[in-house]
């Protein structure tokens, strides 16, 4: 719909409708006012009739009181004749010509006499007797059908000195004023009066109306409600609308005034026609003027703005020739002009954000990949070499977790600035990313950066750049109150030697970077094909490891711990083995580190804990020699799990004695855990399980730390045990650990015992238990149980040969 058409449609509610609405209100108010005035007059006439009837009632009551109080009535009732009463009544009738009759009955309702202007004796109907019998005072208005006129009957009870009913008096008077209304029923032009009783029977009124057109039943109740609230309403009578107003007369009669609605409407029709003509003229003039003004003020400027909007939609962000004005449309035109300018700026900014990192301002992955593809295409044409350096900050997550992401973001920004500044001085790298630059530094995300080197002379040039970056990281970063040392690992891949596509070249540099991390971090490594093989093997190992968890391909081996003096088995260490259907028995050193890196060590560790407790419960049920069973816990489990909850659940499910379970945790795990580690150990000791500190001496090597931790056993690291025979220092350390542990009420286990000399030294220095290949290698459950029940250990020790004692199962 065109704007001009919308304006025309808009004028209807804004101009036409208000004028018509106001005219309708004026017409309605005029009609209501005229009707109200007419019915105020009608109401006054009705009220005069009611007051006249009420006056007649009061006069009749006074006449009855006078007759009842006079001596002539008492003489008549006493049987002394009616002459005096007749004379009295003649005088009363002379003063009130509308009196027609006086009826006198005894207490039983038997007629004693009546006066109607002729003689006292007379008759009384049963209906009359039923009406006044038993009433002390009453009145009613009714239609005398024989004489066709309205009369008012007043009744009074006459009592003697003992307050007993003596007689009843009924006085009947004509209602000439009501008869006058009935005869002159026409009111105004077409109006008329109606007189009804309480049952709705029409007693007098317009004789041209049949009973079918008069109110009946519930509708008559509505008419009668008008009498109660003094209002008027419109009703259909004889197919036409009529206003009705009523009044209740004394004596249970109702008087209605009926006025046709056409008579009321006729007085306002002329004004309605005049008002309608004036409204049409006003609408025509107003609409024409408004349309012309709106065309020049609104339509033309909006067309210009529409043209500008279409141009912006086509990408033409330079808007010209917009009409300037001081109104809202002028502001809209200015807004469009400003919008085109902002869109140009936003488009440039969006283009920038699409290809740049928001934190450092460096090119992002998308721009780097585009530039790398362009550089590779150019290198193919010109037979040049390209190098990609993949840089990752070492241990950056630890900085984020410890100091917060704000410090981490500052490090990333400072690192990118330092690398750019250092390498730009050597004219090696530039942050300018147009095609004229030879090199580009980009941020791939997180703490990963990448460098593109075009037209590399030989394979040694990237090495020089990588060395300069590593040397740059030897200087600390001062951020706030922190002085931080950041190292980096760098992987290098070359085109065309290492890859033929951009994605492969980046992926190979990434693989070389991870190889640099494996080599101790803070170094650089060139890509080699073996790295992909190693990465593929690692991915395969991870996939098969996940499958092994689903298919339950793990089992536990057990290595005995023995008393070095008696060689009796006092405990065992549960060691995990992976029985792969294709590769056979996979040793832990080939998959445990992958499980820890991927988080799979958590479900694996839970499985080991459950199996160990189940095995302890089985030995306990079979009444095998009670020994402690040690379970190793990974640092990942300590960091990610509620270890005490896992242990408690396994103990509860297996219903085993908690004192037989020993949890082995490495020294480095406890030292890095701080107060959380102390709480964890306290919770474990609260479960009655023992805790061993594994690989003791390789970490902080300070026995003073033991006072913080509720540890029950120390395991001397195998590196100290292996040098007992050759290194005096190791012998001193081992003896000191044993002596101090005994003084602190801790037991000591030496692991990695492989020679008789090592065993003899540990016996001499009262080591509590030993384990190692000299005693037994880790064996399956069936072989371990045979060792567990064997008794002749000392004889076997004396019979061993070859320097290692490794008893055969069942032997």
């Amino acid at each position: 719909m065109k704007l001009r058409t919308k304006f025309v449609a808009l004028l209807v509610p804004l101009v036409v409708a208000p004028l018509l609405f106001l005219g309708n209100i004026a017409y309605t108010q005029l009609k209501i006012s005229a009707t109200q005035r007419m019915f105020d007059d009608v109401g006054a006439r009705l009220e005069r009739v009611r007051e006249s009837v009420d006056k007649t009632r009061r006069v009749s009551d006074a006449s009855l009181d006078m007759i009842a109080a006079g001596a002539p009535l008492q003489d008549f009732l006493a049987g002394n004749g009616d002459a005096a009463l007749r004379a009295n009544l003649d005088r009363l009738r002379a003063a009130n010509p509308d009196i027609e009759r006086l009826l006198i009955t005894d207490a039983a309702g038997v007629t004693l006499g009546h006066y109607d202007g002729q003689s006292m004796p007379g008759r009384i109907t049963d209906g009359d007797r039923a009406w006044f019998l038993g009433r002390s005072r009453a009145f009613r208005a009714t239609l005398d059908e024989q004489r066709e006129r309205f009369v008012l009957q007043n009744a009074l009870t006459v009592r003697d000195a003992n307050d007993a009913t003596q007689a009843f008096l009924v006085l009947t008077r004509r209602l000439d004023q009501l008869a006058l209304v009935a005869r002159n029923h026409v009111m105004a032009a077409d109006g008329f009066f109606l007189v009804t009783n309480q049952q709705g029977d029409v007693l007098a009124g317009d004789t041209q109306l049949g009973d079918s057109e008069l109110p009946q039943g519930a509708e008559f109740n509505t008419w009668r409600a008008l009498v109660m609230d003094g209002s008027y309403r419109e009703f259909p009578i004889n197919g036409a609308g009529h206003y009705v107003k009523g009044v209740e007369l004394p004596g249970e009669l109702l008087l209605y005034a009926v006025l046709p609605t056409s008579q009321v409407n006729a007085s306002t029709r002329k004004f309605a026609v005049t008002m309608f003509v004036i409204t049409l003229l006003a609408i025509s003039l107003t609409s024409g003027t408004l349309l012309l003004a709106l065309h020049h003020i609104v339509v033309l400027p909006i067309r210009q703005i529409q043209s500008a909007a279409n141009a912006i939609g086509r990408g033409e962000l330079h808007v010209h020739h917009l009409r300037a004005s001081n109104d809202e449309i002028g502001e809209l035109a200015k807004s469009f002009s400003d919008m085109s300018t902002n869109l140009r700026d936003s488009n440039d900014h969006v283009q920038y954000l699409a290809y740049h990192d928001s934190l450092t301002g460096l090119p992002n992955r998308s721009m780097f990949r585009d530039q790398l593809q362009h550089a590779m295409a150019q290198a193919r044409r010109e037979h040049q070499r390209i190098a990609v350096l993949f840089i990752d900050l070492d241990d950056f997550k630890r900085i984020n977790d410890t100091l917060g992401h704000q410090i981490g973001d500052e490090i990333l920004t400072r690192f990118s600035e330092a690398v750019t500044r250092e390498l730009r001085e050597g004219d090696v790298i530039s942050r300018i990313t147009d095609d004229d630059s030879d090199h580009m530094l980009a941020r791939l995300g997180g703490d990963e950066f990448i460098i593109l080197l075009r037209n590399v002379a030989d394979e040694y040039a990237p090495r020089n750049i990588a060395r300069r970056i590593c040397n740059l990281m030897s200087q600390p970063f001062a951020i706030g109150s922190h002085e931080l040392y950041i190292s980096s690992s760098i992987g290098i891949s070359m085109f065309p030697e290492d890859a033929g596509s951009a994605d492969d070249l980046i992926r190979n540099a990434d693989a070389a970077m991870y190889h640099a991390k494996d080599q101790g971090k803070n170094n650089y490594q060139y890509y080699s094909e073996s790295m992909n093989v190693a990465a593929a093997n690692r991915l395969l190992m991870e996939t098969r490891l996940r499958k092994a968890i689903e298919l339950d391909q793990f089992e536990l081996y057990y290595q005995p711990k023995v008393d070095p003096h008696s060689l009796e088995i006092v405990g065992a260490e549960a060691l995990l083995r992976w029985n792969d259907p294709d590769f056979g028995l996979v040793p832990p050193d080939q998959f445990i580190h992958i499980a820890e890196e991927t988080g799979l060590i958590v479900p694996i560790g839970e499985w080991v804990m459950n199996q160990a407790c189940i095995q302890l419960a089985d030995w306990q049920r079979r009444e095998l020699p009670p020994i402690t069973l040690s379970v190793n816990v990974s640092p990942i489990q300590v960091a990610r799990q509620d270890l005490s909850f896992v242990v408690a659940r396994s103990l509860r499910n297996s219903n085993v004695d908690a004192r037989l379970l020993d949890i082995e945790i490495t020294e480095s795990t406890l030292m890095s855990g701080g107060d959380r580690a102390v709480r964890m150990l306290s919770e474990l000791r609260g479960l009655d399980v023992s805790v061993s500190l594994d690989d003791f001496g390789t970490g902080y090597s300070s026995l003073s730390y033991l006072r913080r931790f509720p540890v029950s056993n120390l395991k001397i690291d195998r590196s100290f045990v292996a040098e007992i025979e050759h290194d005096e220092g190791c012998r001193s350390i081992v003896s000191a650990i044993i002596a101090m542990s005994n003084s602190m009420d801790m037991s000591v286990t030496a692991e990695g015992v492989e020679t008789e000399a090592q065993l003899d030294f540990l016996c001499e220095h009262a080591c509590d238990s030993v384990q190692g290949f000299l005693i037994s290698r880790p064996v399956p459950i069936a072989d371990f149980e045979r060792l567990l029940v064997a008794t002749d250990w000392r004889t076997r020790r004396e019979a061993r040969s070859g320097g290692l004692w490794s008893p055969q199962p069942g032997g």
Side-chain angles (χ1 to χ4, degrees), residues 80-121:
N80 297 326
D82 60 353
L85 181 60
R86 288 173 59 86
N88 197 5
L89 292 179
D90 285 339
R91 289 191 296 271
L92 181 62
R93 189 169 182 276
N96 298 280
D98 57 341
I99 295 178
E100 289 193 341
R101 179 174 70 161
L102 175 66
L103 176 66
I104 303 174
T105 70
D106 61 13
V110 178
T111 301
L112 300 177
H114 67 86
Y115 174 72
D116 56 4
Q118 296 179 0
S119 62
M120 287 298 294

Side-chain angles (χ1 to χ4, degrees), residues 100 142-151 174 176 179:
E100 289 193 341
T142 184
L143 178 64
D144 187 346
E145 297 181 356
Q146 294 181 353
R147 302 181 181 181
E148 295 183 353
R149 57 187 174 185
F150 287 99
V151 295
R174 298 190 308 275
D176 296 331

Side-chain angles (χ1 to χ4, degrees), residues 353-369 389-393 396 400 405 408-416 420 429 431 433 440-452 506:
L353 292 179
Y355 292 99
H356 289 80
D357 174 53
S358 60
L359 177 63
T360 62
L362 293 173
N364 60 12
R365 181 186 295 270
S366 297
M367 174 171 267
F368 181 84
R369 190 175 181 276
L389 281 69
F390 201 110
I391 308 172
D392 184 86
L393 301 185
F396 182 75
N400 267 342
H405 289 274
D409 291 345
E410 182 66 20
I411 289 176
L412 294 175
T413 303
R414 298 273 289 276
F415 172 78
S416 65
T420 301
I429 198 166
R431 291 178 67 170
T433 58
M440 181 172 65
L441 170 66
R443 182 188 178 205
L444 297 185
D447 60 341
E448 295 179 341
F449 296 82
I450 195 165
I451 297 175
L452 167 62
I506 296 173

Side-chain angles (χ1 to χ4, degrees), residues 781-803:
I781 181 61
D783 295 339
F784 177 79
E785 289 181 351
R786 282 193 285 269
L787 293 175
L788 185 60
V789 298
T791 58
D792 195 9
W793 283 85
R794 188 170 300 278
T795 302
R796 292 187 178 186
R797 178 182 176 186
E798 294 173 352
R800 67 181 180 272
S801 60

Side-chain angles (χ1 to χ4, degrees), residues 346 485 536 678 810:
S346 298
Y485 287 86
V678 175

Side-chain angles (χ1 to χ4, degrees), residues 10-184:
L10 187 62
L11 290 176
V12 173
L14 292 182
V15 178
V16 178
L19 290 176
L20 293 177
F21 178 71
L22 291 175
N24 181 64
I25 291 178
Y27 173 75
T28 302
Q29 290 299 322
L30 179 63
K31 179 179 179 180
I32 293 174
S33 177
T35 305
Q36 186 64 48
R37 286 196 304 271
M38 183 174 298
F39 274 93
D40 287 344
D41 178 65
V42 171
R45 295 173 64 184
L46 293 176
E47 184 62 25
R48 286 195 296 271
V49 174
R50 187 194 68 77
E51 290 177 354
S52 175
V53 174
D54 188 57
K55 180 180 179 181
T56 302
R57 177 189 66 80
R58 291 195 302 271
V59 171
S60 295
D61 285 341
S63 300
L64 285 177
D65 290 338
M66 182 185 67
I67 295 172
L73 177 62
Q74 297 297 327
D75 293 339
F76 173 74
L77 295 177
N80 297 326
D82 60 353
L85 181 60
R86 288 173 59 86
N88 197 5
L89 292 179
D90 285 339
R91 289 191 296 271
L92 181 62
R93 189 169 182 276
N96 298 280
D98 57 341
I99 295 178
E100 289 193 341
R101 179 174 70 161
L102 175 66
L103 176 66
I104 303 174
T105 70
D106 61 13
V110 178
T111 301
L112 300 177
H114 67 86
Y115 174 72
D116 56 4
Q118 296 179 0
S119 62
M120 287 298 294
R123 298 175 300 280
I124 184 172
T125 65
D126 293 338
D128 289 337
R129 183 183 296 109
W131 173 73
F132 66 77
L133 189 62
R135 296 173 181 263
S136 60
R137 184 184 293 276
F139 68 91
R140 67 177 178 179
T142 184
L143 178 64
D144 187 346
E145 297 181 356
Q146 294 181 353
R147 302 181 181 181
E148 295 183 353
R149 57 187 174 185
F150 287 99
V151 295
L152 180 67
Q153 293 180 329
N154 291 64
L156 179 67
T157 301
V158 180
R159 302 181 182 275
D160 57 17
N162 297 324
D163 198 27
T165 301
Q166 188 175 9
F168 293 101
L169 304 181
V170 181
L171 184 64
T172 302
R173 307 176 72 116
R174 298 190 308 275
L175 290 177
D176 296 331
Q177 64 273 43
L178 195 59
L180 180 63
V181 171
R183 288 194 299 272
N184 301 297

